[in-house]
Amino acid sequence: MVLTPYQRRAHGAEPNGEVSIEDFDIGIIETLGAVDPARFPLVIFKGLYQWKIPNVAPPPGQEGIIVVHGNPEDVFVKYRVPTIAVTRDDFDVEFSRYHPGTIEYRAPARGTQEVTVEGAKGYRRYEEKQAAVPHVITYSFTAMARHQSEASSMIMAMKRIYQPNTAVRVKDSVGDYRWYTAETGGAGNLSELLDVASRSGGHSLSVTVHGELDLFEPTKHTAVTQRPVVTLTEIE
């Protein structure tokens, strides 16, 4: 059976992609539109992620609810509400899953030659890389709306995507998608009563991702292509 390039990467027979913390920052947002794209589509409009949620009207001139990463101070101004801000709170090594020295792949180096030694096929040079280091990454979603009913619809949409035991889809450096397990924490109420006639609605949601980060560079090694020859000489 001939394996596809993706299958070869999955089996460690070909160099695979890498993931960085920025890939998780993107993945935590793009997963919003990857789980149920028919009901909750995520689009890029005017250079911004915009998420379409039933019963929640987008800001004027926008296709959906703007989803931004980080914590810009001007996110919640009137013309951009409703909006969702995603903040990376922390990331650290998850030692319970860390096994130093594990090899992620050992594959023929690019441009190497195939050789046959005593009937066995191989290559002159190989490339190998240590496995990515497991990390636990915590994110916070902050949803703000003009009305409490909109904020409630937004938090319910987020909880439909990020259920108690959930997963985050991340694209690596070669374009392969990976799914990482995650857990969702409790939702907090951020509603504010500005005055007797004005009230803003808001909720927060935390998501903990069990991911990994590539911290090691690949190394290349020359393979043995013939039996070593030992010459014995007499020492006088």
Side-chain angles (χ1 to χ4, degrees), residues 26 29-53 56 58-59 61-69 80 83-84 169:
I26 296 173
I29 294 178
E30 293 189 344
T31 302
L32 291 172
V35 176
D36 191 357
R39 186 174 184 183
F40 303 109
L42 182 74
V43 300
I44 297 179
F45 182 69
K46 295 182 178 180
L48 298 171
Y49 285 108
Q50 303 197 13
W51 197 31
K52 298 182 180 181
I53 300 177
V56 180
Q62 306 299 326
E63 291 288 324
I65 299 168
I66 297 175
V67 184
V68 296
H69 193 277
R80 296 189 68 179
T83 188
I84 297 174
R169 190 182 75 163

Side-chain angles (χ1 to χ4, degrees), residues 185-207:
N189 189 354
L190 302 177
S191 299
E192 294 182 357
L193 183 61
L194 303 181
D195 54 54
V196 293
S198 178
R199 180 187 180 99
S200 64
H203 289 283
S204 65
L205 184 70
S206 64
V207 178

Side-chain angles (χ1 to χ4, degrees), residues 2 14 25 34 101 103 134 151 168 181 203 229:
V2 179
E14 187 173 303
D25 293 346
I103 299 301
V168 174
T181 59
H203 289 283
V229 178

Side-chain angles (χ1 to χ4, degrees), residues 46-183:
K46 295 182 178 180
L48 298 171
Y49 285 108
Q50 303 197 13
W51 197 31
K52 298 182 180 181
I53 300 177
N55 303 322
V56 180
Q62 306 299 326
E63 291 288 324
I65 299 168
I66 297 175
V67 184
V68 296
H69 193 277
N71 192 25
E73 295 180 357
D74 64 339
V75 166
F76 303 135
V77 293
K78 186 175 182 180
Y79 73 94
R80 296 189 68 179
V81 173
T83 188
I84 297 174
V86 185
T87 305
R88 185 196 334 126
D89 299 324
D90 192 19
F91 65 102
D92 200 0
V93 177
E94 192 169 12
F95 284 98
S96 62
R97 297 191 295 127
Y98 183 36
H99 303 285
T102 302
I103 299 301
E104 184 173 299
Y105 67 81
R106 186 173 187 271
R110 295 183 183 276
T112 189
Q113 294 179 336
E114 184 177 354
V115 295
T116 301
V117 179
E118 298 185 358
K121 292 185 178 181
Y123 296 88
R124 292 187 180 277
R125 289 176 60 80
Y126 284 87
E127 177 182 305
E128 67 179 31
K129 186 173 96 48
Q130 291 193 48
V133 179
H135 278 69
V136 58
I137 311 168
T138 305
Y139 291 93
S140 292
F141 287 80
T142 302
M144 296 297 294
R146 290 180 289 267
H147 308 289
Q148 183 60 35
S149 60
E150 291 181 331
S152 297
S153 296
M154 292 165 67
I155 191 64
M156 286 303 299
M158 288 190 291
K159 288 183 73 66
R160 286 178 182 272
I161 303 301
Y162 287 116
Q163 300 185 8
N165 291 315
T166 185
V168 174
R169 190 182 75 163
V170 177
K171 185 167 69 172
D172 65 22
S173 60
V174 298
D176 291 335
Y177 283 101
R178 311 178 184 185
W179 288 90
Y180 294 92
T181 59
E183 296 95 32

